[in-house]
Amino acid sequence: MSLYLEQFVKEKPVRKRNMITEKGVIPLKEHSTKQKVQHAARELFYLKGFHGTSLRDIAKKANVNVSLISYYFDHKQGLLEALMIQYYEHYLREIEEVQQQYKGKNPVEAIVRLVEAIIHYKQKNHQFTCFIQRELTLDNMLVREMLVTYLARERYVIENAFLDLLESQPYNQMEKKCLLVQFKGMLNSPYFMPHEWLDYVRWDGSHQSFVNHYTKVIRRWLESLYVA
């Protein structure tokens, strides 16, 4: 997925704003249309699932012609793939930066900062995160095949940070595995069981409040596992 940078191209007698991408200069109107399609697709995939959403549904929601979606993304699977790449490239960049920043430092602080980054990103992209978690829970092979490399990178970062925390602790291998599974469940449960958290996330401002309180809960649990 291309990353867009804004620039102004001078033309007489007016100035027209375009976007520079890896593929060259794209008119801002075209970029805006793609954003509308992507936004509509995220919402509909969340509400109706991938297989329950048609290109016509997305076109209607985005108020664009169906042929435009085919022009930009070829087909529905191409659109989903573009959304997945965009989501995971940003997500992994953020958590890998945290991993590098706290490498070799206090293991509790390192993993707490990682948790904050993970929950903040997932909450910021709440609907699409819920969609991904639901499709993975249903073992959607299309989604799983798309994400195999990204999921491996995510697992590497999370497991390394957690096992660093337990490295000097008196847990056997089975206990470590059980605790790791619990930890992953805490990171994902708000998104594969979002109905359980409705009382905590009901309006836009409540998302940051949820992030703050939920990460504190996980922090206390992690600290209980670590004896300095």
Side-chain angles (χ1 to χ4, degrees):
M1 176 63 61
S2 300
L3 296 177
Y4 297 95
L5 297 173
E6 292 192 14
Q7 73 159 10
F8 289 92
V9 179
K10 290 185 177 180
E11 293 183 1
K12 294 181 179 180
V14 296
R15 299 176 67 189
K16 294 183 179 179
R17 189 168 58 168
N18 294 334
M19 310 298 292
I20 293 182
T21 76
E22 294 170 356
K23 296 181 180 180
V25 177
I26 294 179
L28 182 62
K29 183 178 179 181
E30 182 177 339
H31 174 71
S32 177
T33 300
K34 289 183 73 173
Q35 285 187 319
K36 285 167 59 179
V37 169
Q38 291 174 323
H39 180 76
R42 289 188 196 97
E43 185 173 341
L44 290 173
F45 287 159
Y46 168 72
L47 294 172
K48 303 172 66 174
F50 176 73
H51 295 295
T53 301
S54 68
L55 285 183
R56 289 189 180 278
D57 294 332
I58 297 170
K60 182 178 179 180
K61 180 76 175 176
N63 195 27
V64 301
N65 194 291
V66 175
S67 61
L68 275 178
I69 301 178
S70 299
Y71 172 74
Y72 291 136
F73 302 104
D74 291 333
H75 40 62
K76 188 171 70 168
Q77 183 174 330
L79 173 55
L80 176 61
E81 185 173 358
L83 293 174
M84 293 287 195
I85 291 172
Q86 185 182 63
Y87 176 95
Y88 270 97
E89 285 293 338
H90 285 87
Y91 169 60
L92 289 169
R93 185 182 304 121
E94 288 193 17
I95 67 172
E96 286 171 349
E97 285 178 358
V98 172
Q99 180 192 38
Q100 289 301 314
Q101 183 179 354
Y102 288 90
K103 188 175 182 179
K105 297 184 179 180
N106 181 284
V108 176
E109 194 64 25
I111 197 167
V112 166
R113 297 307 175 200
L114 181 63
V115 167
E116 290 174 348
I118 291 172
I119 299 299
H120 181 270
Y121 187 87
K122 290 186 174 184
Q123 200 66 27
K124 184 174 65 175
N125 300 276
H126 185 264
Q127 287 190 343
F128 200 62
T129 301
C130 290
F131 163 74
I132 293 173
Q133 291 298 328
R134 182 175 68 230
E135 296 299 312
L136 290 174
T137 302
L138 296 173
D139 203 23
N140 184 324
M141 290 307 297
L142 171 63
V143 172
R144 193 169 291 279
E145 288 172 4
M146 283 185 184
L147 297 182
V148 59
T149 301
Y150 291 123
L151 293 175
R153 285 171 61 187
E154 179 191 38
R155 183 170 60 248
Y156 175 81
V157 172
I158 291 173
E159 291 186 1
N160 274 10
F162 190 74
L163 293 176
D164 282 349
L165 178 75
L166 300 185
E167 184 177 6
S168 61
Q169 305 306 304
Y171 301 108
N172 60 40
Q173 290 303 312
M174 177 60 74
E175 289 170 333
K176 288 182 180 180
K177 180 64 176 179
C178 289
L179 291 170
L180 176 60
V181 171
Q182 290 180 52
F183 179 55
K184 289 181 177 180
M186 295 176 79
L187 295 178
N188 293 322
S189 68
Y191 310 104
F192 67 74
M193 294 190 300
H195 54 281
E196 295 287 348
W197 301 91
L198 288 179
D199 289 340
Y200 298 90
V201 186
R202 288 190 176 275
W203 63 94
D204 290 343
S206 65
H207 285 274
Q208 187 57 51
S209 176
F210 173 79
V211 170
N212 295 338
H213 286 88
Y214 193 63
T215 53
K216 286 179 182 178
V217 170
I218 299 179
R219 177 176 191 136
R220 286 197 294 269
W221 182 76
L222 291 168
E223 289 174 341
S224 74
L225 303 178
Y226 184 80
V227 180

